[in-house]
Amino acid sequence: MTRERIDTLVVGAGQAGIAMSEHLSEMGIPHLVLERDRVAEAWHSKRWDSLVANGPAWHDRFPNLAFDDVHPDAFPPKARMARYFEDYARMIDAPIRTGVEVTRVRRCDGRPGFRVETSAGEIEAQRVVAATGPFQVPSVPAIVPDGAGVTQLHSSSYRSPEALPGGAVLVVGGGASGCQIAEELCLAGREVYLSIGEHYRPPRAYRERDYVWWLGVLGKWDEITTTPKKKHVAFAVSGYDGGRTVDFRRLGHMGITVLGMTEGWGEGVLRIADDLGRNLQEGDRAYLEVLREADDYVARTGIDLPPEPAAWEITPDPDCVTTPIRQLDLAQAGIGTIIWATGFRFDFGWLQVGAFHEDGTPWHKRGISAEPGIYFLGLPDLTNRASSFIYGCWYDAKYIATHIGVQRNYQAYEKS
């Protein structure tokens, strides 16, 4: 059977796949990008209606194309983000085929490269880049059984308050998604409970600079530090409502009942951990640390940025914090819906090569996997904390494209 052959196959046409295509094209490396849905499908259909980018328009983009209709300090809505990547793919003339799903990748027998099975036939590629990103399969903890009498959905399936059944809503998760959804529901008149765990809570902005700018000048994108940050901690910063610092105490004062981490279930009652006060204090510590480092930077460099004393004020504890709930009876609270804003897990079942640890996580260094010829792009902490963000992904792709170019030179060598 005749198979199509290509030097490098890129799987996924979101931000990672498009960035990869740009750098491969610049290096003259023949490649093909396969996407099972549309370009930037996650921005099109896998987010709620009011979602905006998590960073301002001057930063949350690729270097070679600015937004022409969004203020640089504004947070582009999801539809505009989807169009941005569609426009970018056209601008670089990316060789993308949509509606084609990759079902299996295996190493070829007796020759270099990989045999790639897709919904449109087989392809043989010398290299494969898994550019499917960090948001692959919704992760929902097995806490509340299906027959509990409440509607349960992941945050990726949430669209708007009007689309939910009646009654109060429990949102589980203290990251940007959980906070934004909880506040939107509260403003729509719903009674809302928000269950949070450990989190990293920086200021959205300070002294007239957005947090992404402070991340850059303070070296926090690169995380070169003697005290590395905790892994798997919710990142509580959002572009919602023009961009505001996430403040769980403020949410409590506006009527949201903030809870500790959801940890168990029995006979219609959720068990809530006794960790709310401790987690809020740890979030405060991280928040104030950024302010101190920012002030030190201003003093050290002499940059003219106005002081912001109000930013140092910590909101007083609401009642839900001073008297935390340890058990939540769903029926008694009138809760009709649980939204699990609990992140995602990887699904690389289609990639049947020796590129994974025993727990199924990718085995790589800066995206170069343990299986020669297999690459990963767009994953959290691939290189640093910027790797799953739009701008960071672009630079990671450049590094991987350079590595691919070097490997092609080795393969092309012939002794003279």
Side-chain angles (χ1 to χ4, degrees):
M1 182 175 63
T2 301
R3 297 192 190 103
E4 182 178 3
R5 286 173 169 78
I6 192 70
D7 184 279
T8 300
L9 181 70
V10 181
V11 183
Q15 65 193 41
I18 294 170
M20 193 74 246
S21 180
E22 179 175 18
H23 293 300
L24 292 172
S25 292
E26 287 181 350
M27 296 184 67
I29 298 175
H31 67 282
L32 175 64
V33 183
L34 297 184
E35 167 58 52
R36 65 182 177 185
D37 297 306
R38 294 173 288 180
V39 170
E41 183 64 37
W43 286 104
H44 278 291
S45 66
K46 297 179 181 178
R47 302 291 186 270
W48 58 95
D49 296 347
S50 63
L51 177 73
V52 297
N54 215 20
W58 69 265
H59 187 270
D60 268 21
R61 63 178 180 88
F62 291 158
N64 295 324
L65 181 65
F67 289 89
D68 58 3
D69 56 353
V70 180
H71 189 281
D73 292 320
F75 299 85
K78 71 166 192 172
R80 183 63 185 89
M81 291 304 305
R83 183 159 61 85
Y84 177 86
F85 290 115
E86 291 173 333
D87 292 345
Y88 206 96
R90 282 192 292 269
M91 181 184 77
I92 65 173
D93 195 23
I96 298 174
R97 292 181 192 169
T98 58
V100 180
E101 182 175 8
V102 174
T103 56
R104 184 159 64 167
V105 174
R106 293 179 292 169
R107 184 166 283 285
C108 293
D109 294 327
R111 63 185 184 281
F114 300 89
R115 177 180 172 182
V116 182
E117 298 177 18
T118 82
S119 59
E122 291 190 359
I123 298 174
E124 193 166 307
Q126 293 302 301
R127 280 155 284 274
V128 177
V129 180
T132 48
F135 308 120
Q136 295 177 12
V137 179
S139 178
V140 177
I143 295 177
V144 180
D146 292 338
V150 294
T151 297
Q152 298 188 63
L153 66 153
H154 188 263
S155 57
S156 59
S157 298
Y158 168 77
R159 293 295 174 264
S160 67
E162 297 75 27
L164 297 182
V169 181
L170 168 64
V171 180
V172 182
S177 298
C179 297
Q180 179 177 335
I181 292 171
E183 184 164 358
E184 179 175 86
L185 289 167
C186 182
L187 293 173
R190 292 296 190 99
E191 185 176 359
V192 180
Y193 296 81
L194 175 62
S195 172
I196 67 172
E198 288 186 286
H199 56 273
Y200 176 71
R201 187 179 77 87
R204 172 73 267 180
Y206 181 57
R207 298 185 74 156
E208 297 187 348
R209 293 291 187 272
D210 190 87
Y211 182 56
V212 298
W213 187 85
W214 287 113
L215 278 169
V217 300
L218 296 175
K220 291 184 176 293
W221 282 119
D222 302 300
E223 297 182 293
I224 301 173
T225 174
T226 57
T227 55
K229 70 180 180 67
K230 292 182 179 179
K231 301 295 184 181
H232 311 300
V233 173
F235 192 72
V237 65
S238 172
Y240 179 63
D241 195 25
R244 286 189 306 193
T245 296
V246 171
D247 185 343
F248 295 107
R249 295 180 180 87
R250 180 185 67 82
L251 297 180
H253 284 297
M254 70 179 288
I256 295 172
T257 302
V258 184
L259 311 169
M261 187 172 69
T262 299
E263 63 177 6
W265 164 269
E267 298 182 358
V269 178
L270 280 174
R271 296 191 303 275
I272 308 299
D274 186 21
D275 62 354
L276 179 57
R278 182 172 66 253
N279 289 335
L280 291 178
Q281 290 173 6
E282 182 64 17
D284 295 342
R285 185 200 61 76
Y287 169 83
L288 295 172
E289 181 180 85
V290 174
L291 302 190
R292 281 192 292 270
E293 291 187 28
D295 284 352
D296 290 345
Y297 177 85
V298 171
R300 184 172 67 253
T301 62
I303 189 172
D304 185 17
L305 294 177
E308 191 178 341
W312 289 82
E313 299 173 3
I314 300 297
T315 305
D317 287 342
D319 291 342
C320 59
V321 174
T322 57
T323 311
I325 293 175
R326 296 295 312 283
Q327 291 188 327
L328 183 63
D329 186 310
L330 298 188
Q332 187 175 8
I335 293 173
T337 304
I338 300 176
I339 299 176
W340 298 96
T342 43
F344 296 79
R345 58 180 174 83
F346 295 140
D347 181 12
F348 288 112
W350 52 274
L351 196 51
Q352 298 174 11
V353 295
F356 301 93
H357 294 284
E358 290 183 1
D359 64 358
T361 57
W363 187 356
H364 71 90
K365 182 178 181 180
R366 294 192 67 178
I368 302 166
S369 87
E371 176 82 52
I374 298 293
Y375 299 85
F376 296 97
L377 180 62
L379 303 183
D381 298 313
L382 189 88
T383 299
N384 55 32
R385 77 191 308 169
S387 291
S388 58
F389 290 76
I390 294 168
Y391 104 94
C393 178
W394 190 88
Y395 288 100
D396 285 352
K398 186 173 185 178
Y399 177 84
I400 291 173
T402 300
H403 187 273
I404 290 174
V406 170
Q407 295 305 115
R408 294 180 81 238
N409 288 340
Y410 282 128
Q411 292 175 348
Y413 170 78
E414 294 183 2
K415 187 175 178 62
S416 58

